[in-house]
Amino acid sequence: MGIVKIDEDLHEKVRRTSTVMCRSINAQAEFWMKIGMLSEANPTLSFNEIVEMQVKAAQEPLSADKQISAA
């Protein structure tokens, strides 16, 4: 885990939004960072398309190479 320094105003926006979205402050910041990263990588997709893509990916069964061994 790392520490990221952000502007105080942005931190306040994250804090307020995290309350509305029922997420921790860290989870809200991570969500915004992930969506931003995916938006840059897929500039033709809308926010809703990116979220839909992530929901579909989360519903796919793990392939053999992605499964965690019980060893």
Side-chain angles (χ1 to χ4, degrees), residues 1 15-17 19-20 38-39 41 43 51 54 57-58 62 65 67:
M1 173 167 72
R15 186 191 64 74
R16 289 181 189 172
T17 305
T19 301
V20 172
L38 290 169
S39 294
V51 170
Q54 292 299 293
L62 291 176
D65 61 320
Q67 291 182 0

Side-chain angles (χ1 to χ4, degrees), residues 9-70:
D9 291 335
L10 180 57
H11 186 271
E12 181 61 20
K13 289 176 184 174
V14 173
R15 186 191 64 74
R16 289 181 189 172
T17 305
S18 71
T19 301
V20 172
M21 301 304 290
C22 300
R23 296 181 178 126
S24 69
I25 294 172
N26 284 347
Q28 184 64 44
E30 288 176 15
F31 176 76
W32 280 354
M33 285 187 273
K34 183 175 185 177
I35 294 298
M37 180 186 69
L38 290 169
S39 294
E40 285 187 346
N42 301 280
T44 61
L45 297 180
S46 69
F47 169 80
N48 290 335
E49 290 169 325
I50 289 171
V51 170
E52 182 179 334
M53 178 180 71
Q54 292 299 293
V55 168
K56 285 180 182 176
Q59 293 173 345
E60 292 177 4
L62 291 176
S63 62
D65 61 320
K66 293 182 182 176
Q67 291 182 0
I68 300 173
S69 66

